[in-house]
Amino acid sequence: EVEVLAEIGVVLLLFTIGLEQSLGRLRELLKPFLVAGSIQTLGTIAAVGTLAWGFGVPLPEAVFLGFAASLSSTAIVLRLYDERRETATPHGRMVLAILLFQDFLVVPLLALTPLLAGAAELSALDFALRFGEATLVVAAIFAAALYGVPRLLHLAAGARVREVFVLAALGLCLGLSWLTHHLGLSPALGAFLAGILLSESDYSHQIVADVVPLRDVLASVFFVSVGVLVDLAVVAARPLE
């Protein structure tokens, strides 16, 4: 139950960060997304994998350790940048682009994991297809929502009831999060896309004002849940592991 609430907090965090962006700014992230994202993830995989292999770890396990080290916690990193009001700075936007690239990379990395364990076979073409499929799915979702969201907001605003409008925005956020999660991607990625779409509307500032208090509460639950998952008895029994 705590994990579910924590996940919603992460989703709302990415949703509000998306609201602070725009389609124009999203296009500016394309180059750092491709270049910086590739350098960070592939460079980390190579460095950590080589180091582990040098210490005698079998190559498949060494590569897997590189996978684990290359991925960051979107919630923790962006929460820190958001608290310091640095998400809109050049380095903040660079970090955002890298984190989004990592979210995309999760799908092909998960596909490669059985291969490293020797339980499946996967060609370079299959790997490229998995990554391309993830990209096309997100593009299709974004294109469909781009035309449907303005109509949804217009209908919600036409009701002239504040709660209806807030629920419509949250419904879009959670709906896209569920969809990207169902497709094997990060739910935070869907929330970010929802925020980007709503950032173009005339109601984006109102949405931020309504969602931020709920986001702060549930995002705090996320950090509490991290502490809850720590088993101190195991740490005490195996301090060096």
Side-chain angles (χ1 to χ4, degrees), residues 46-121:
V48 174
T50 302
L51 183 63
W53 185 54
F55 277 96
V57 177
L59 185 59
E61 295 179 19
V63 174
F64 181 78
L65 290 174
F67 286 173
S70 68
L71 302 177
S72 310
S73 172
T74 302
I76 293 176
V77 175
L78 290 185
R79 180 63 185 269
L80 291 173
Y81 274 79
D82 186 56
E83 288 179 347
R84 290 153 55 178
R85 301 292 187 269
E86 294 181 359
T87 53
T89 62
H91 62 277
R93 296 174 63 74
M94 178 72 73
V95 167
L96 176 59
I98 292 174
L99 291 171
L100 291 175
F101 185 88
Q102 292 176 0
D103 286 337
F104 271 92
L105 201 63
V106 166
V107 174
L109 291 187
L110 289 176
L112 279 174
T113 299
L115 176 66
L116 295 174
E121 294 184 3

Side-chain angles (χ1 to χ4, degrees), residues 1-11 218-219 221-223 225:
E1 293 174 352
V2 171
E3 186 177 353
V4 172
L5 291 175
E7 190 66 42
I8 295 175
V10 173
V11 163
L218 293 179
V221 173
F222 167 78
F223 289 96
S225 70

Side-chain angles (χ1 to χ4, degrees), residues 229-241:
L229 292 174
V230 177
D231 191 333
L232 296 179
V234 175
V235 175
R238 302 177 179 179
L240 298 180
E241 297 181 18

Side-chain angles (χ1 to χ4, degrees), residues 206-225:
Q206 182 61 45
I207 297 171
V208 171
D210 291 329
V211 171
V212 163
L214 180 62
R215 177 206 70 181
D216 290 342
V217 172
L218 293 179
S220 298
V221 173
F222 167 78
F223 289 96
V224 172
S225 70

